[in-house]
Amino acid sequence: MIAQELPTVMVVDDEPEVLMAVTDALEDEFYVLTSTSPLKARAMLEGDDIAPLVIISDQRMPGMAGHEFLRWARELSDATRVLITGYTDIDALGAAVNAGQIFGYLPKPWTPDRLGRLIREAAEHCAVRRALAEERLLLSHLMNSVPDPIAFKDKNLRYLRSNVAHAKALGVDNPDDLIGRTDQEIGAEGAARREAADQAALEAGITVTDIQQDAPASAEAPSRRRWYSVVRSTFKDGEGATEGLVTIARDITAAKEAEQALSEAHATLERRVAERTEDLAATARDLLAARKAADMANEAKSRYLATVAHELRTPLTGVIGFSELLLRGGVSPGEWHRLLTLQAEAGRTLLGLLDDILDLSKIEAGRLTLENLPLDFRTLVDDCIALVRPSASGKGLAFNSAVTSALPAKIMGDPTRLRQVVLNLLTNAVKFTPAGSVSLTAEVLPPPAGLGGAPSRLRVCVADTGIGIPPERLSGLFEEFSQVDETTARRFGGTGLGLAICRRLVEHMDGRIGVESVPGQGSRFWFELPLAVSAEEAAALPPLTGAGPQAPSGRARGGRRILLVEDDRSTQILVSTILRGVGHEVDIVDNGAAAVQAVDTGTYDLVFMDMHMPVMGGLEATTRIRALQRTPDRPLPPLVVLTAGVTAEERERCRAVGLEIFLSKPVDLEKLLLTAATVGLPGGEGDAHD
Ligand code: ADP
C-alpha cells in the first residue's frame, strides 16, 4: 500500500542484476516496476492501471534498442523517459535526445547517487508537466464554459488562445483554428476595426468599448445584429513589457434592445404626453372660447332684454300718457281725435313689436314650421305693394315693380312668411326714402353652375333711392335691434327686428339675403330662394289677397248678415261696432253651441268664429255647423277664423274641418272690413291670412 503511494518508476533492462541494482537504489523514494522485456513493459503500459512518472530503459537489449522502446512508450505514457547507455551507443543517444524522446540519460557505469538524482529530477519534471497540463485543461474548461467570447493575442495581434464562444462569434467552429493567425488573416467581419481597437488597448493598457456587429448566420439562428461590451486588457512579461492582450466580450444585445425599447417607449410616451398636452390645451382653448361665447350670448341676451324692455316702454308711455290726458278731461274735440290717433299708433307699434319679438323667439326656439303650399307670387307681390303704396304716394315716391314672365304662375312656398319678408323690405324702403323711387324686381336665376340637380332660384330685389346705410353698419344689419342709429326709431319708428326676422326666415327657406348700399344714394336689399314649381297649379288654394288700398276697404257691398261667435266682450264690441258702422247686420253669440244653433235657425252670409270659447270651442262648432242640413236657398255660410294667433298645427286642424280663412286678433280694421265685404261673394273669396 505504502509502496503504491510513492511515485512510480518503470525500469526495463534485460539483465535482472541491473534491475535489482536500480530497484535497490530507488525503492526508498519510488515504487519501482521492473521488466526484462520491452514487449512486456509495453503491455504493462497499455494496461492503463499504471502511470509511471519516469520510464528508465537500457539501450542494449536483445530484440529492441532502448531508444526505440522509449519512442513507443512516449505514445503510451507522459512519463519522463531516461536512457541508460554505454559510451559506445553515443549516436543512438544523440538521435533520441534530438527527437525529443528522452529527458536524460545515465552513462554506464552509474552510481546509485547519480541514478537517484537523475530520476528525482525526471520525476519532478513529469509531475510539473502533469500539473501544467491539468492547469491548461482547467483553464480551457473554464474558458469554454464561459458564454462570453474570450481571446488572448500576442502583441502582433495573433491569437494565442480563444474560447468556443469567441470562435463562434467569428464564425469559426474550432478555437484552435484561430491560434497564430490575425483577425485580418482569418477574414472575420470587422477585423480592421477590431485590430485598431486592440492596438489602442495595447498602447493604453485597458479599454472598455461597446460595439455592434452582425452575428454570423447559422441554421438555428439567422444572422442578426448583436451588441458586445468589450473589455481589452494587456498582460506583461516578468520585466513589465507588454506581451499581449486579452479581450473579454459580453453579449449585451438583450440589454441594448431593452434600452432601445425603453427609449422608444420613452419617446412614444413623450410624444403622447405632448399630444395629450396639446389636446388638453386645445380643450382648454375650446372651453375658454365656449365660455366666452356663452358669456357673449348671455350679454347679448341681457342687452336684448334691456332693448326689448326699452322698446316696449316707449309706445306704452304713449298709450298710458294719452289715456291719462284724455281721462283728465277738458280736451277739445279736435285734440281728442289727435290724441286718440296717437294712442292707436302707439298701440299698433306695441303690437308690431310684440309680433316681431314672438316671431323671433319662435324662430330661435326652432318652433318655426314653414308651410309648403302652391302660391301665386305675382299676387303676393301686388298685395304687398298695395299695402305700402299709400305711404309711398304720401311721400311722393315713384313705385315700380317687375316680376319676370319666366316665373311660373304657381310656385311652392310659405305664403305668409314670404309676404312677411317682401313686406318688410318694401316697408323699410319706403320708410328710409325721403324722395325718389322704390322698385321691386323678381327674376328667375338658373341653377348655380357645377351643381347638378340644383334648382333654379327666385331672386327678389327691393331697391330705393333713400338715405342709404354706412358701410360699417352693413354687416350687423341683419342682427336683432340693429337700427343704424339711435334716432332712427324716433324718426322713422320700427323695432330693429324686421331684418333679423327676414334673415332667419329666408335662411329657413334655404335661401340667402343681403344688401348693397351707398349712403345718400340708396339701398338694394335682395334675397334668393330655391325655386320649386307647384305640380298642380290648378289645384291651388284661393288666391292670396291682403287688404290693399284698391280693395273696397271700408265699404260693404250692401249690408250682410254676419254671425260673430266670440266670448271676449271687448272684441264683441269692437268687431260689431266696426261692422255695423259700415252697414252690416251683426248677431253675437259667445260660444260654439250657441253658434251651431244660430246657424241652424238663422240665415247668415258669413260667420266669424273664435277658436277658444267656453261650452264649445270653434273647431267642434264648425264641424257641427258643416253637418247641418242645408237647402240651396239657405247654403252654408262661409266661416272665417278669428283668433289671437294660431300655431301651424292648429291651422292644420282648422283646415281639416274646412276652415281656410284666418283673421288675427287684435283685429286689423282694414282686413276685417275687406273680409266682411268680400268673403263668400263670387270673385271675392279671400284668404285673409295674417
Ligand atoms: P326697423 O323695424 O327698425 O326698420 P329693421 O330690422 O327692418 O328694423 O331694420 C333695421 C335698420 O336697418 C333700420 O332701423 C335702418 O336703420 C336700417 N335700414 C333697413 N332698411 C333700410 C333701407 N332701405 N334704407 C336705409 N336703411 C335701412
Side-chain angles (χ1 to χ4, degrees):
M1 283 302 281
I2 294 165
Q4 286 212 349
E5 281 172 9
L6 296 173
T8 304
V9 172
M10 174 182 263
V11 191
V12 184
D13 199 314
D14 57 322
E15 294 172 60
E17 308 83 59
V18 176
L19 291 177
M20 292 273 288
V22 171
T23 305
D24 283 350
L26 298 178
E27 68 187 350
D28 287 348
E29 293 173 66
F30 298 95
Y31 170 62
V32 185
L33 279 171
T34 57
S35 174
T36 50
S37 142
L39 287 175
K40 277 188 192 149
R42 184 184 160 158
M44 282 161 74
L45 286 175
E46 280 172 345
D48 209 26
D49 47 356
I50 56 158
L53 286 180
V54 186
I55 299 172
I56 307 163
S57 176
D58 185 24
Q59 172 63 8
R60 284 191 174 220
M61 289 184 292
M64 179 177 286
H67 74 269
E68 280 169 4
F69 165 69
L70 288 181
R71 195 168 61 229
W72 268 7
R74 186 184 177 192
E75 284 159 21
L76 297 170
S77 162
D78 64 345
T80 311
R81 293 164 303 279
V82 173
L83 198 62
I84 301 177
T85 176
Y87 286 107
T88 46
D89 298 318
I90 201 79
D91 290 344
L93 178 70
V97 171
N98 287 341
Q101 289 165 7
I102 60 169
F103 167 75
Y105 70 95
L106 193 65
K108 289 176 183 173
W110 50 269
T111 66
D113 253 14
R114 278 192 71 185
L115 177 70
R117 243 193 347 267
L118 178 65
I119 298 310
R120 266 194 301 280
E121 236 176 75
E124 200 177 309
H125 184 257
C126 178
V128 166
R129 263 195 298 109
R130 279 190 186 168
L132 261 180
E134 190 158 333
E135 284 302 315
R136 177 168 295 170
L137 192 70
L138 285 177
L139 182 67
S140 117
H141 274 324
L142 175 70
M143 280 179 56
N144 289 335
S145 57
V146 171
D148 298 340
I150 302 174
F152 293 86
K153 285 181 174 179
D154 66 16
K155 57 186 176 209
N156 298 318
L157 304 184
R158 291 187 180 283
Y159 280 104
L160 294 170
R161 189 152 305 175
S162 116
N163 69 351
V164 173
H166 180 88
K168 272 205 176 135
L170 295 188
V172 174
D173 284 338
N174 185 357
D176 291 343
D177 292 347
L178 298 176
I179 292 171
R181 299 161 76 194
T182 63
D183 274 313
Q184 305 226 30
E185 284 167 4
I186 295 160
E189 200 214 278
R193 174 184 43 76
R194 203 155 39 244
E195 290 188 345
D198 288 344
Q199 196 57 50
L202 279 176
E203 281 149 28
I206 185 165
T207 61
V208 182
T209 39
D210 281 1
I211 57 134
Q212 192 188 34
Q213 71 180 46
D214 274 328
S218 70
E220 315 83 64
S223 173
R224 66 187 260 238
R225 227 150 237 284
R226 303 208 68 83
W227 277 92
Y228 293 96
S229 170
V230 184
V231 179
R232 288 182 166 83
S233 168
T234 53
F235 53 86
K236 305 186 189 304
D237 64 12
E239 270 86 56
T242 300
E243 271 206 326
L245 82 160
V246 55
T247 62
I248 304 173
R250 165 144 296 184
D251 188 333
I252 53 165
T253 309
K256 278 280 181 190
E257 284 174 354
E259 188 184 304
Q260 201 168 331
L262 204 69
S263 88
E264 272 165 21
H266 191 248
T268 310
L269 204 68
E270 275 193 341
R271 209 176 46 247
R272 294 232 175 105
V273 167
E275 283 168 8
R276 207 53 207 273
T277 313
E278 177 45 36
D279 282 356
L280 281 175
T283 311
R285 277 199 300 275
D286 288 354
L287 281 174
L288 269 179
R291 177 155 172 208
K292 208 163 159 195
D295 285 350
M296 275 164 70
N298 248 341
E299 243 172 62
K301 271 258 136 68
S302 310
R303 248 195 342 266
Y304 178 79
L305 276 179
T307 319
V308 168
H310 171 83
E311 297 297 327
L312 288 172
R313 194 160 276 135
T314 315
L316 265 177
T317 312
V319 173
I320 296 166
F322 297 136
S323 307
E324 282 174 352
L325 269 180
L326 290 170
L327 286 172
R328 214 183 284 156
V331 182
S332 72
E335 194 64 353
W336 248 85
H337 186 263
R338 199 177 71 82
L339 288 180
L340 276 177
T341 311
L342 287 172
Q343 195 179 29
E345 216 163 78
R348 263 197 299 277
T349 306
L350 208 54
L351 180 65
L353 188 59
L354 218 60
D355 280 348
D356 283 354
I357 290 170
L358 288 179
D359 246 0
L360 250 188
S361 60
K362 197 191 282 177
I363 299 172
E364 296 252 284
R367 283 192 287 107
L368 176 76
T369 333
L370 289 176
E371 292 184 294
N372 196 26
L373 308 169
L375 63 94
D376 178 350
F377 190 72
R378 286 186 186 78
T379 313
L380 185 147
V381 166
D382 287 347
D383 288 348
C384 294
I385 291 176
L387 280 172
V388 293
R389 199 187 289 276
S391 30
S393 327
K395 294 167 99 175
L397 300 179
F399 218 114
N400 315 305
S401 79
V403 176
T404 173
S405 57
L407 189 71
K410 293 274 170 155
I411 61 171
M412 296 301 289
D414 185 323
T416 313
R417 296 313 193 171
L418 257 180
R419 184 163 45 182
Q420 190 174 353
V421 176
V422 173
L423 200 53
N424 217 305
L425 298 185
L426 282 175
T427 314
N428 277 350
V430 172
K431 191 156 68 169
F432 296 106
T433 305
S437 64
V438 170
S439 68
L440 179 147
T441 53
E443 49 186 332
V444 175
L445 300 181
L451 286 176
S456 306
R457 285 163 304 145
L458 167 65
R459 182 183 168 94
V460 179
C461 197
V462 175
D464 64 56
T465 57
I467 60 175
I469 300 156
E472 70 276 8
R473 301 307 292 258
L474 282 177
S475 63
L477 208 59
F478 294 95
E479 304 301 328
E480 297 87 348
F481 297 114
S482 64
Q483 289 177 326
V484 166
D485 71 70
E486 288 170 3
T487 60
T488 302
R490 252 176 281 142
R491 283 182 17 232
F492 302 101
T495 61
L497 290 174
L499 289 177
I501 294 173
C502 287
R503 192 195 79 196
R504 282 169 169 74
L505 289 177
V506 168
E507 285 174 358
H508 255 72
M509 297 171 190
D510 292 332
R512 315 186 292 139
I513 188 164
V515 60
E516 293 109 35
S517 183
V518 179
Q521 290 187 20
S523 310
R524 169 184 292 268
F525 283 80
W526 57 266
F527 67 91
E528 275 178 31
L529 301 173
L531 184 61
V533 180
S534 162
E536 27 170 338
E537 295 190 2
L541 287 173
L544 294 151
T545 55
Q550 73 273 62
S553 116
R555 276 185 295 111
R557 294 181 187 169
R560 305 180 77 192
R561 275 184 59 80
I562 293 173
L563 177 65
L564 173 62
V565 189
E566 170 64 64
D567 63 323
D568 178 59
R569 211 174 120 61
S570 49
T571 310
Q572 284 177 358
I573 295 171
L574 182 71
V575 173
S576 61
T577 310
I578 292 167
L579 294 178
R580 284 176 187 141
V582 295
H584 298 299
E585 277 178 49
V586 182
D587 289 348
I588 301 172
V589 291
D590 63 2
N591 68 69
V596 178
Q597 201 180 354
V599 174
D600 192 24
T601 52
T603 309
Y604 294 103
D605 299 317
L606 183 63
V607 179
F608 284 110
M609 176 72 77
D610 186 18
M611 283 288 104
H612 303 282
M613 289 175 295
V615 186
M616 185 187 289
L619 276 179
E620 192 184 338
T622 305
T623 314
R624 293 192 181 205
I625 288 171
R626 294 199 156 250
L628 293 174
Q629 288 294 323
R630 311 307 303 182
T631 55
D633 56 322
R634 240 165 39 96
L636 188 75
L639 287 102
V640 172
V641 182
L642 192 61
T643 175
V646 276
T647 62
E649 298 90 70
E650 270 179 328
R651 201 171 270 249
E652 266 321 300
R653 281 205 293 278
C654 288
R655 287 216 168 89
V657 297
L659 288 170
E660 294 278 3
I661 308 170
F662 298 86
L663 262 189
S664 288
K665 288 194 231 169
V667 181
D668 181 303
L669 298 193
E670 292 279 309
K671 283 183 188 164
L672 177 71
L673 289 172
L674 183 70
T675 308
T678 58
V679 168
L681 292 175
E685 267 174 81
D687 178 357
H689 279 286
D690 280 301

